[in-house]
Every structure is written in structure tokens, then in C-alpha cells.
Amino acid sequence: MSERQPTLRERRRSETRRLVQMHAVRLFTDLGYDAVTVADVAEAAGVSAMTVYRHFPTKEDLVLIDQPARLIAERVAASSATQPLVRRVGSALVDAATALTGSDGDEPAANERFLLDCLRLMVSTPALRARHLDSQYTLQQAIVDALGDDMTDPDAAFRAQAATSACMAAMHTALTRWTEDDGQTKLPDLIARALAASFGDDAVATHRKD
């Protein structure tokens, strides 16, 4: 059965959402998060403030990216349950980073810069840090759910949570280095290196180097 294609309305909604977010992140980066209002973002994007709020209920939402959780969860769910937990999660983190930064598609520089700017804003802006932590917790739970282990078994639940938490700690180290060197090193490679340093060279199924 073929996958359902998005409707014209869904495509337009997605395009509007991305346009608004790109203008918001650019303004926040250039002028500072606190200095920019939702009205400023709406004017830059050529839409109404109501349209901005329809896509992003709060100003903080303009910086958050919901793609990673979906991509990572999909890749974890599609992985073989016979593999070690760390490899299932680690490989999903690397693959999702490759997709998000455009390393395996078109316009990699633009995709990388947008993600880098969002991450830098979340880390450096006090008003966004709490939301960033919330998003990380949500991501961790999405990964644990995608592993598909029997969560009624306390031991299985503990192993899944521990493996996921450890992999995310390694990813956080990679993300920090990525922002510090302004994206000079490819994010998928940094995540793979952080995972290998933590768990050994077999932590990910494939280690892509650019």
C-alpha cells in the first residue's frame, strides 16, 4: 500500500509554518529573542499575527522544531528488536541528524544553518531553556515508546529508559560541540563520535563520515 500524499491544503500549511519559523529565527538571531515581538515576525513573514499564533501558540514555539522527535521515533520503531538497545537508539539519532541537516539531500548549508540557529537560541536564551528541557523529555519518552518493549515489565522499562537517557546524553555533548564550533563539523559525525566514545565503535550500525 502506498503512503498517503499530503493534500494541497496540508502542503500550504506546512509551507506557511516553515516560512514563519524561518523569519522568526532570523529575527531572533539578528536582533535578540527578547527584542522581537510576534507582530514583528508576522510582518516579516507577510502574514497576520493570528496566522502566526495559529501555527505557533506561543512565542517560544517559534524556535522549537518538532521534526526530530518524529524522525527519531520512526527510525527506532523500524529498527530490528534483535539489536542492542544502544545501537537501535544511537543509529536512529545519527540517521535523523543526517536527514535534518540535509546531509543526504539538497541545500545542506541552509538546513544546517537553520537547525544550528535554533539550537543556539534554545541554549543561550533563558526564556527558552525550560521549553528545551521539556522537548528533550518528550523526545526521550517518544524513543522509549518506539522501542516497543513491554513497559509493564519493570526491568525492561528500566533498560529502555537507561539506554535512551545515556544515548541522549551523548547526543547533547555532540550538539554542544556543534554550536561551539559553529557547525564546522557535520552533526551526524559528531553524534556518532560521541556515541562511540561512550559505548564503543559498535554503538551505531553505520558511521557516516563526510
Side-chain angles (χ1 to χ4, degrees):
M1 181 180 295
S2 60
E3 183 178 352
R4 185 185 76 85
Q5 296 300 311
T7 65
L8 177 60
R9 182 178 181 180
E10 290 171 337
R11 290 199 301 271
R12 286 177 174 172
R13 179 179 175 82
S14 178
E15 290 169 359
T16 299
R17 179 182 174 85
R18 180 160 179 78
L19 175 68
V20 169
Q21 191 170 38
M22 288 181 66
H23 279 288
V25 171
R26 176 181 59 80
L27 289 173
F28 294 154
T29 299
D30 292 345
L31 305 177
Y33 177 81
D34 294 329
V36 177
T37 66
V38 171
D40 294 331
V41 173
E43 181 179 359
V47 299
S48 67
M50 183 177 295
T51 296
V52 176
Y53 281 119
R54 187 179 302 124
H55 292 276
F56 303 94
T58 70
K59 182 180 174 182
E60 291 90 346
D61 290 326
L62 285 161
V63 184
L64 297 177
I65 304 176
D66 56 6
Q67 273 184 297
R70 294 198 307 270
L71 286 172
I72 294 168
E74 288 172 1
R75 282 159 172 75
V76 170
S79 64
S80 172
T82 62
Q83 296 183 44
L85 289 172
V86 167
R87 174 174 286 195
R88 293 181 67 190
V89 177
S91 296
L93 295 177
V94 173
D95 288 345
T98 300
L100 287 167
T101 57
S103 298
D104 60 354
D106 297 329
E107 301 181 357
N111 292 336
E112 285 183 351
R113 178 51 55 181
F114 178 72
L115 185 61
L116 185 62
D117 287 341
C118 286
L119 181 61
R120 185 177 287 117
L121 283 166
M122 286 187 284
V123 171
S124 64
T125 307
L128 293 172
R129 287 174 190 159
R131 291 298 302 274
H132 178 53
L133 290 175
D134 285 343
S135 70
Q136 292 301 293
Y137 175 80
T138 300
L139 171 57
Q140 179 172 332
Q141 190 57 52
I143 293 173
V144 171
D145 292 342
L147 286 170
D149 288 335
D150 183 4
M151 291 300 106
T152 62
D153 179 351
D155 289 338
F158 178 77
R159 289 194 298 271
Q161 291 164 355
T164 300
S165 178
C167 286
M168 288 189 63
M171 182 180 71
H172 178 75
T173 300
L175 291 174
T176 300
R177 171 61 68 85
W178 196 51
T179 59
E180 289 174 348
D181 70 7
D182 197 35
Q184 294 301 306
T185 305
K186 295 296 184 183
L187 181 58
D189 187 55
L190 281 175
I191 295 175
R193 286 166 52 191
L195 289 164
S198 301
F199 309 108
D201 292 337
D202 293 333
V204 293
T206 58
H207 183 165
R208 300 180 182 180
K209 293 184 178 180
D210 296 303

